Amino acid sequence: MTRRIAICAPSTPFTREDAARVMALAHAEFPGLDLVFHDQCFASEGHFAGPDEVRLEAFVACANDPAFDAVWFVRGGYGANRIAMDALPLLEAPAYDKQYLGYSDGGTLLASLFRAGIGQSVHAPMPVDLRREGGEVAVRRTLSWLQGDPAGLEPSLADGQPAVAFNLMTLAMLCGTPLLPDLRNHVVMVEEVAEYHYAVDRLLFHVTNCLALAGIAGLRLGRVSQVPENDRPFGWAVEEMVHHWCAKTGIAYLGAADIGHDVDNKIVPFGLA
């Protein structure tokens, strides 16, 4: 049976040329999937894939359409937080039966949906990853998972502990807001991209001291990549920062997570895999 996947842009826009490349890959290798790019993916207003109301309308339309089995966020950037709270009360029964896939800024919507018990939130590569060198591997990982192949799951999920995965900046911005789900007894995986080491340390301070994370099962560190060069060395490696803040706040540090802003980014369904 063919699974239909709606693709929308809660944050920043995509191009029709890149969409055609994703469609061609899916058509050639995943005949059990039918990808449908919402036209809103190609809208543009300033930083965003159209104004807030357009992005909101597109996401809600995809989520509420019973013809689709999943909603895939086309890319991250920034903007999902501007529509997340308004979206939740507009979601109807069909939205509760879907999978929602993305990462980075899309984590804002994944968190809000997980908190509300709507569908299944999944940290997973997005269509935009096709732009990376070797990015077809990442896109295939998500398409394979949508067809039922568990091979792309993050390896530590095999221990059976409920888990979530976030970009560190996104998680830090969720702390203290009504969108942060109850993460007690969950393994929290974090990754980051394009932040100075001092900023990563600041984010870890904030996240580990967030009262809502006090009861988590532990923290795993994904890849921190594309770190800008500061005018002087920070002096601490990222793993040393994590050890420091976890020790200060009583959070168990559980080691590495195979996630990040790269082609090796693995899949983490929120809750139990």
Side-chain angles (χ1 to χ4, degrees), residues 75-77 103-106 123 125-126 128-129 132 138 166-170 190-194 222-226 258-266:
R75 63 177 300 185
Y103 72 103
S104 193
D105 187 58
H123 167 103
M126 298 178 290
V128 72
D129 286 304
R132 302 184 190 278
F166 290 105
N167 170 257
L168 184 56
M169 176 68 81
T170 301
V190 295
E191 54 82 24
E192 190 51 84
V193 64
R223 289 174 288 280
V224 176
S225 58
Q226 300 177 38
D258 194 4
I259 61 170
H261 274 64
D262 53 41
V263 299
D264 295 321
N265 187 24
K266 297 302 190 295

Side-chain angles (χ1 to χ4, degrees), residues 197-209:
H197 274 141
Y198 68 79
V200 174
D201 190 67
R202 180 190 296 147
L203 292 168
L204 287 167
F205 155 73
H206 180 65
V207 164
T208 56
N209 281 280

Side-chain angles (χ1 to χ4, degrees), residues 81 85 107-108 111-112 115 164 166-183 188 190 202-216 219 251:
N81 63 308
M85 293 183 69
T108 303
S112 62
R115 177 185 173 115
V164 295
F166 290 105
N167 170 257
L168 184 56
M169 176 68 81
T170 301
L171 178 59
M173 295 302 101
L174 285 166
C175 286
T177 75
L179 298 180
L180 185 69
D182 183 354
L183 298 178
V188 177
V190 295
R202 180 190 296 147
L203 292 168
L204 287 167
F205 155 73
H206 180 65
V207 164
T208 56
N209 281 280
C210 176
L211 294 179
L213 270 67
I216 66 172
L219 192 72
I251 292 174

Side-chain angles (χ1 to χ4, degrees), residues 59-209:
F59 169 70
V60 171
C62 291
N64 286 342
D65 191 334
F68 293 114
D69 300 289
V71 178
W72 198 10
F73 306 145
V74 78
R75 63 177 300 185
Y78 172 70
N81 63 308
R82 295 174 63 95
I83 67 171
M85 293 183 69
D86 291 334
L88 293 179
L90 301 177
L91 298 181
E92 301 168 354
Y96 285 72
D97 295 327
K98 287 182 173 57
Q99 295 162 332
Y100 298 88
L101 301 97
Y103 72 103
S104 193
D105 187 58
T108 303
L109 272 171
L110 298 181
S112 62
L113 292 164
F114 187 54
R115 177 185 173 115
I118 299 173
Q120 181 184 37
S121 293
V122 184
H123 167 103
M126 298 178 290
V128 72
D129 286 304
L130 196 69
R131 295 177 177 174
R132 302 184 190 278
E133 184 177 354
E136 293 87 353
V137 172
V139 174
R140 285 190 186 101
R141 186 175 302 120
T142 297
L143 294 174
S144 295
W145 191 82
L146 284 165
Q147 282 199 160
D149 183 356
L153 289 172
E154 203 281 333
S156 69
L157 296 175
D159 66 12
Q161 187 75 35
V164 295
F166 290 105
N167 170 257
L168 184 56
M169 176 68 81
T170 301
L171 178 59
M173 295 302 101
L174 285 166
C175 286
T177 75
L179 298 180
L180 185 69
D182 183 354
L183 298 178
R184 285 175 294 181
N185 302 316
H186 285 68
V187 174
V188 177
M189 306 182 193
V190 295
E191 54 82 24
E192 190 51 84
V193 64
E195 293 288 350
Y196 287 99
H197 274 141
Y198 68 79
V200 174
D201 190 67
R202 180 190 296 147
L203 292 168
L204 287 167
F205 155 73
H206 180 65
V207 164
T208 56
N209 281 280

Side-chain angles (χ1 to χ4, degrees), residues 226-243:
Q226 300 177 38
V227 177
E229 185 175 349
N230 198 16
D231 60 352
R232 68 194 70 189
F234 184 68
W236 288 41
V238 176
E239 190 167 13
E240 291 177 310
M241 303 176 206
V242 177
H243 275 291

